[in-house]
Amino acid sequence: VSEIAVLTPYSLPLKLGDFTAVRKPAGIQLNWETITEQNVSHFEIERSSDGSSFNTIGQVTARGNSTDKQYYTFTDQQPAAGTNFYRLKMIDLDGTFSYSRVIAVKSDNNLFILQLFPNPVSDVLQVQLPASKKGAVKIMILDAAGKQYYVQNLQLTEGLNAVSVPVARLAKGAYYLVAENSGERQSTMFIKQ
């Protein structure tokens, strides 16, 4: 008896959209969205001070099954001094899990300057975007000649917004990260190694 191959494409039970962080007076607020969810149980929020060893600091129940965008939020009310790294552990009803990418938030008082780290960078660039009010921003990566390699539109909230940008596919060299919103433009150079 031959095995019958099932021709349905395998799909992950959860597709994660934006995952961002904002520094607010009450703490660091993490915001994320899911594009689709299937049999998802909950999210564990994990924090690290060194980017490698993570501890769970809270959990949020998932909506479970959805084909519409779902929005979630969690506030870390006691972030550590220095840099805090966050990731989501996304757990299904059957106990299997996967991780989101990591985002990092610097806890310093330099609120109104676009900051990038690490620099030089090899894999993921952490971007700190200050905003005095809610609004849309466009993030771009350009080379010295102005050629665009990456673009992402984000909604910022008031405070220090943190987002991670994948740069592993960029060739080695110097690039500019540009943030544009309502006529204002900030740009910072970084080195891809």
Side-chain angles (χ1 to χ4, degrees), residues 22-160:
V22 191
R23 204 170 94 220
K24 292 181 171 285
I28 294 173
Q29 181 183 311
L30 304 175
N31 302 295
W32 67 96
E33 65 182 28
T34 59
I35 315 289
T36 58
E37 291 183 28
Q38 186 184 339
N39 299 326
V40 180
S41 167
H42 63 281
F43 302 91
E44 287 184 3
I45 294 86
E46 297 188 348
R47 182 181 70 202
S48 168
S49 58
D50 62 8
S52 60
S53 103
F54 283 83
N55 295 310
T56 302
I57 58 166
Q59 80 174 42
V60 173
T61 303
R63 309 263 152 51
N65 290 301
S66 172
T67 53
D68 299 322
K69 273 192 183 180
Q70 301 292 328
Y71 298 92
Y72 297 90
T73 185
F74 176 87
T75 300
D76 179 6
Q77 296 176 341
Q78 295 179 307
T83 301
N84 291 275
F85 298 85
Y86 297 95
R87 71 182 180 191
L88 302 173
K89 184 176 183 180
M90 302 167 286
I91 301 169
D92 298 342
L93 293 173
D94 65 5
T96 58
F97 62 87
S98 59
Y99 290 105
S100 70
R101 64 184 182 278
V102 173
I103 54 175
V105 185
K106 279 187 173 178
S107 294
D108 62 23
N109 296 320
N110 205 350
L111 255 182
F112 294 99
I113 300 170
L114 171 67
Q115 291 184 303
L116 311 176
F117 62 96
N119 190 5
V121 61
S122 57
D123 190 25
V124 177
L125 188 65
Q126 300 291 344
V127 183
Q128 315 282 300
L129 288 158
S132 53
K133 60 183 191 302
K134 277 180 142 182
V137 68
K138 181 157 94 170
I139 297 174
M140 296 170 288
I141 292 178
L142 309 173
D143 65 14
K147 183 179 174 190
Q148 184 174 295
Y149 289 88
Y150 177 89
V151 63
Q152 182 180 8
N153 291 300
L154 286 173
Q155 287 295 322
L156 300 185
T157 54
E158 186 179 339
L160 183 69

